[in-house]
Structure formats: C-alpha cells, structure tokens
C-alpha cells in the first residue's frame, strides 16, 4: 500500500482537477468537484476485480470523472432550469449558453423545431467565420460551409440514427463539435478548389491557376483547435503498448498530475539509480539521462499518434 499511496494521491488530485473543468468553459466548485471525483473513483474501484496497471487505471479514472462531472452539470442545470450554472465566467467565446435540452428535442415529423435553434446561428457564426478565415475561406464560401455545419448537426447518422447535437452532455461541447466539423469541411473545400485549378482552362483567373500550389500542411491550425487535442485517457487507449509502465508513469507524473519536475527527478537518487547512474554522478549527467528518457517516451507517443 505504501508504494501505491503516492500514485493514488496523484490520481485523486488529477481527477479533482478534471472534475473542476470536465469541458472547456465549464467550471465546477471545488466541493462538488471533490464529490464527483470520489464517486467516480469509487465506482471504478467496485468494477475492478484486480488492480490494473497504474496508467490504465488513471486513464479510466479520468474518463469516468469526465463523464460524471458533465452529467452532474447537465442535471443541475435542469432543476431549476439554468443553462449558465457552472459556466466559467472567464469564458468569453460567446455571450451565454443556450438550453441544450431544448436544442436536443426532436419530433419524428417536425425534427428539431424548438425556437432555441433560432439563437444558435448568431452564437456560433462568429466563431466559425474566425476559424474559416484562418483557412483563407471567406465571404459566401464561409457562409455556405457554416450553413452546412448547422444542417449536419441536426442530420441523423445512418449508423445509429442519431444527430450529432444529441451526443452532447453540456452546451459547451458544441464549440469543439463545430470546430471538428469545420476542420474536415475546410480540408474538403481546399481539395475541391485545388482539383478545379488543376483542370485545363478553369479557374477565376490565370493567376489563380498558376499561383499558390496546393500545400496540405496549411490545414494544420493549432490556434483554432487547441481544445481538440486528445486527453490523457484517449492517448493511453491509443498508445498503451507503445510505452513501458515506467515511461507511462513518468509521462503521468510530469505532464498530467504534475507532481514532479525534471529537477525533482534529477535530484531523486532512487530514480537516477533506476536509470543505471551511480551515486555521485554529476547533476549535468543526471539531467542528460533524465531528459533522454523523457524524450524517448515523447517520441514514442509522437510516432504512435502521428504515424
């Protein structure tokens, strides 16, 4: 138990932080976040017959905490109805939340017909146009793509007969949903435009045909999709076998729980001994060895996530 205590403490703190901010734009008060984290960890522990590897347990704990936190926020916004409850006052991406329950109401004959949908385009349009402008998509083209996204949010998928809008638990999730949709639509738009330019005697002008060759890398835009980076539990699920348990623990402690720094690892005699360093090794040699291990782990993740 003594060996597990630091890991469990780190997991507890990581789950409390996740419960505070399960989704960008949501901010839960500390007392409620602690109760959510406790409930998530208790439920996860009950389901486990044997202790899993620590990184896998952490990933499951964060995923369970996120689900419980978002569900709790959604429930507390219903009674009494208050879409702004637990909304982060520092979030200025749009004026105020809409009522997600009303947006998700669906009639078999009339579809999504609640008047709350009338307030959605003015709220999302500035965000969409700002993202599209960075892709050099402006004017009527941007308007067309934005309207396509709104339609797609309410269109049922053939696979499960559900519309994307019904996948959301809290309203704040609609911004990353729109961002992902626009990312794919903008790539398709540029591909179609490039295909037209490559056709003989087509295009708006000679310059449009001869200049600005197709460069796929222009589609990468970390500034508009920072919130879309995968979380630890998603990275672990995709790359679990790429790293050793020791490397997963190192990534977790440094970048997720943030319970140690590189200097802490350099000063830790036991950790340096595990790297094969003898007592009395200089601080610079220790730092190079620690950095090499970290860089190796991050390179493995990079190769796994970006094959």
């Amino acid at each position: 138990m003594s060996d597990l205590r630091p890991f469990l403490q780190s997991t507890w703190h990581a789950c409390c932080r996740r419960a505070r901010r399960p989704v960008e734009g949501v901010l839960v008060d500390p007392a409620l976040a602690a109760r959510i984290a406790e409930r998530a960890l208790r439920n996860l522990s009950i389901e486990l017959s044997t202790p899993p590897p620590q990184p896998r347990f952490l990933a499951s704990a964060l995923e369970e905490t996120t689900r419980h936190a978002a569900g709790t926020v959604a429930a507390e916004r219903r009674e009494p109805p208050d879409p702004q409850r637990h909304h982060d006052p520092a979030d200025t991406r749009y004026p105020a939340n809409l009522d997600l329950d009303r947006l998700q109401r669906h009639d078999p004959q009339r579809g999504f017909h609640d008047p709350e949908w009338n307030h959605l385009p003015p709220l999302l349009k500035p965000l969409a146009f700002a993202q599209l402008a960075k892709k050099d998509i402006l004017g009527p083209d941007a308007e067309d793509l934005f309207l396509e996204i709104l339609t797609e949010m309410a269109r049922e998928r053939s696979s499960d007969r559900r519309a994307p809008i019904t996948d959301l638990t809290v309203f704040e999730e609609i911004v990353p949903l729109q961002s992902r949709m626009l990312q794919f639509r903008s790539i398709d738009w540029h591909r179609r435009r490039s295909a037209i330019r490559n056709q003989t005697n087509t295009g708006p002008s000679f310059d449009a045909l001869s200049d600005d060759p197709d460069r796929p890398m222009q589609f990468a835009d970390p500034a508009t999709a920072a919130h879309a980076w995968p979380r630890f539990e998603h990275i672990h699920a995709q790359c679990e076998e790429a790293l050793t348990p020791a490397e997963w623990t190192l990534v977790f402690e440094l970048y997720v729980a943030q319970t140690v720094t590189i200097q802490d690892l350099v000063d830790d005699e036991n950790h340096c001994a595990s790297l094969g360093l003898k007592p009395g090794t200089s601080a610079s040699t220790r730092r190079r060895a620690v950095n090499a291990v970290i860089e190796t782990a991050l390179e493995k993740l990079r190769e796994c996530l970006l094959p």
Side-chain angles (χ1 to χ4, degrees), residues 83 97-100 102-103 113-121:
N97 285 345
L98 300 182
D99 191 325
L100 181 60
R102 292 179 58 184
L103 291 173
H113 65 282
D114 193 283
E116 192 78 349
W117 277 87
N118 296 331
H119 305 294
L120 191 59

Side-chain angles (χ1 to χ4, degrees), residues 133-206:
K134 294 179 179 181
K135 312 288 187 183
D136 295 325
I137 304 176
L138 305 168
D141 292 324
E143 185 78 34
D144 290 343
L145 288 183
F146 175 63
L147 293 177
E148 288 180 17
I149 291 301
L150 283 181
T151 302
E152 187 175 346
M153 285 185 182
R155 182 185 297 122
E156 292 183 350
R157 296 181 292 259
S158 58
S159 57
D160 57 6
R161 309 304 300 172
R162 288 174 56 89
I165 191 70
T166 64
D167 295 335
L168 310 183
T169 304
V170 292
F171 180 77
E172 288 85 352
E173 293 174 301
I174 202 167
V175 175
L177 173 64
Q178 174 181 259
S179 180
R180 289 192 300 270
M181 289 180 167
L182 286 176
Q183 184 77 4
F184 290 118
R185 293 278 181 170
S186 61
I187 291 174
D188 290 341
W189 185 88
H190 276 287
R191 285 174 176 169
R192 290 196 301 269
R193 188 176 67 168
S194 296
I196 293 174
R197 285 177 172 178
N198 290 333
Q199 295 176 9
T200 305
N201 296 328
T202 60
S205 67
F206 175 79

Side-chain angles (χ1 to χ4, degrees), residues 12 16 19 29-40 42 76:
W12 165 253
C16 285
D29 67 78
L32 178 57
R35 294 198 296 272
I36 292 171
E38 181 181 0
R39 187 191 321 148
R42 184 188 299 116
E76 294 204 349

